[in-house]
Amino acid sequence: MIFETHAHYEDEQFDTDREELLGSMKQHGISAIVNVGSSLDTVKKSICLAEKYDFIYAATGIHPSDTDDLDEAGFEWLRKQSTHEKTVAIGEIGLDYYWHKEEEIRKRQREWFYRQLELAKERNLPVIIHSRDAAEDTLQIMKEAYQMQIPGVIHCFSYSAQIAEEYVRMGYYIGVGGVVTFKNAKKLKEVVARIPLEYLLLETDCPYMAPEPYRGKRNSSLYLPYVAEEIAKIKGITKQEVIDVTERNARRMYRMDETRSDN
């Protein structure tokens, strides 16, 4: 069964058929889905989905592009959501310098990144990291997270194989989605080739980043077999081995076989 480690089913692109689509997941081989928050509103919606479906879990965190809306009251609310029984990670959090060039905004992103890492440490939860055009700063901060013994995944990995290897040496997972199926995704294909399967996770980031042959269309977890197939091709193994190992990886990272305290 396939473990979908990063989805956004609260997105309005699913408003017309969300219930039907999610209801079909198990029969299509999807064992679990982590619906990832990115704002206060989507965190709330992610938890609602997790409460409605037994195979959906929530990640509670504020995306760097949404930190302008975060204040102390919002952060206290976020802390409470992190104690929910279906919350399995703090995310997605991190840095996004692609859309934000001003140093004042980047500084604010870094401040809330640290605060949310501290929350992950407090709650004994892994983190889901978003990083775009911020390789050096993200890596430096994650080295500090490593010293704090905070596990996690670098979601939608877009940097070099050398940087991926640095993360893996610290025990972090690499999230791989539909981009790996693109013909021009040479850098990500190299990452997949060089990183042990035991450190890869399957994800979609749906409704975005659909794989070939659905590139440009709405993505969903039903397309994850295309990602698994491409990884298998790169590594010279079977698709089922990719599915089995990445599912074990996800359950290990999200600590789904552990009992955690909510004190």
Side-chain angles (χ1 to χ4, degrees):
M1 299 285 280
I2 296 175
F3 194 122
E4 157 74 281
T5 64
H6 195 118
H8 299 283
Y9 282 109
E10 85 293 338
D11 191 277
E12 62 183 10
Q13 291 191 48
F14 296 108
D15 284 354
T16 59
D17 63 346
R18 182 180 295 108
E19 189 169 341
E20 179 183 359
L21 180 61
L22 292 176
S24 73
M25 289 296 166
K26 288 188 177 180
Q27 69 188 63
H28 285 98
I30 308 299
S31 65
I33 296 171
V34 175
N35 206 81
V36 181
S38 58
S39 66
L40 295 175
D41 181 58
T42 59
V43 165
K44 181 179 180 180
K45 290 177 178 177
S46 293
I47 289 178
C48 286
L49 284 172
E51 289 176 339
K52 183 174 183 179
Y53 297 92
D54 63 351
F55 62 95
I56 295 182
Y57 301 85
T60 58
I62 306 302
H63 188 286
S65 295
D66 287 286
T67 53
D68 281 347
D69 299 326
L70 194 55
D71 56 19
E72 291 302 326
F75 188 71
E76 184 57 34
W77 179 86
L78 187 68
R79 173 179 276 111
K80 291 179 180 177
Q81 309 318 304
S82 73
T83 69
H84 193 282
E85 63 180 357
K86 294 292 289 290
T87 295
V88 295
I90 302 298
E92 59 187 282
I93 65 176
L95 302 174
D96 193 316
Y97 291 173
Y98 179 82
W99 294 110
H100 308 283
K101 311 298 183 184
E102 304 88 346
E103 179 54 31
E104 182 179 352
I105 294 177
R106 292 180 174 186
K107 180 181 178 182
R108 181 178 176 84
Q109 286 187 9
R110 291 191 292 270
E111 289 172 351
W112 283 115
F113 190 4
Y114 277 114
R115 292 286 299 278
Q116 292 182 93
L117 286 172
E118 291 168 359
L119 177 59
K121 176 65 176 178
E122 174 189 326
R123 299 299 312 135
N124 191 29
L125 291 171
V127 290
I128 300 171
I129 303 302
H130 171 101
S131 180
R132 190 174 186 190
D133 280 12
E136 184 177 346
D137 283 359
T138 305
L139 181 59
Q140 184 57 47
I141 292 173
M142 291 309 295
K143 286 179 179 178
E144 297 178 48
Y146 167 67
Q147 293 299 323
M148 295 166 66
Q149 298 183 314
I150 301 171
V153 55
I154 314 303
H155 150 66
C156 197
F157 193 84
S158 61
Y159 301 128
S160 69
Q162 290 81 6
I163 292 177
E165 288 173 334
E166 288 199 57
Y167 280 115
V168 167
R169 279 194 289 271
M170 293 187 288
Y172 291 107
Y173 292 91
I174 303 298
V176 181
V179 173
V180 76
T181 68
F182 300 171
K183 291 181 180 179
N184 62 347
K186 294 180 180 179
K187 190 162 58 173
L188 183 55
K189 292 178 190 292
E190 182 184 359
V191 168
V192 169
R194 288 172 55 171
I195 297 303
L197 184 60
E198 288 72 21
Y199 286 92
L200 298 181
L201 297 179
L202 298 182
E203 61 175 34
T204 59
D205 202 23
C206 67
Y208 314 105
M209 314 294 283
E212 297 288 359
Y214 299 100
R215 186 174 183 177
K217 299 181 180 180
R218 188 188 72 174
N219 199 6
S220 85
S221 307
L222 302 185
Y223 298 156
L224 279 171
Y226 293 97
V227 179
E229 186 173 4
E230 182 64 24
I231 293 173
K233 179 181 176 182
I234 292 169
K235 288 193 165 296
I237 57 179
T238 67
K239 181 172 71 173
Q240 191 59 49
E241 184 176 355
V242 173
I243 290 170
D244 292 344
V245 174
T246 55
E247 182 182 26
R248 289 198 298 270
N249 295 346
R251 292 189 177 279
R252 184 182 308 114
M253 192 198 77
Y254 286 123
R255 296 166 171 173
M256 290 192 170
D257 296 326
E258 298 180 16
T259 301
R260 65 179 177 88
S261 170
D262 284 335
N263 295 330

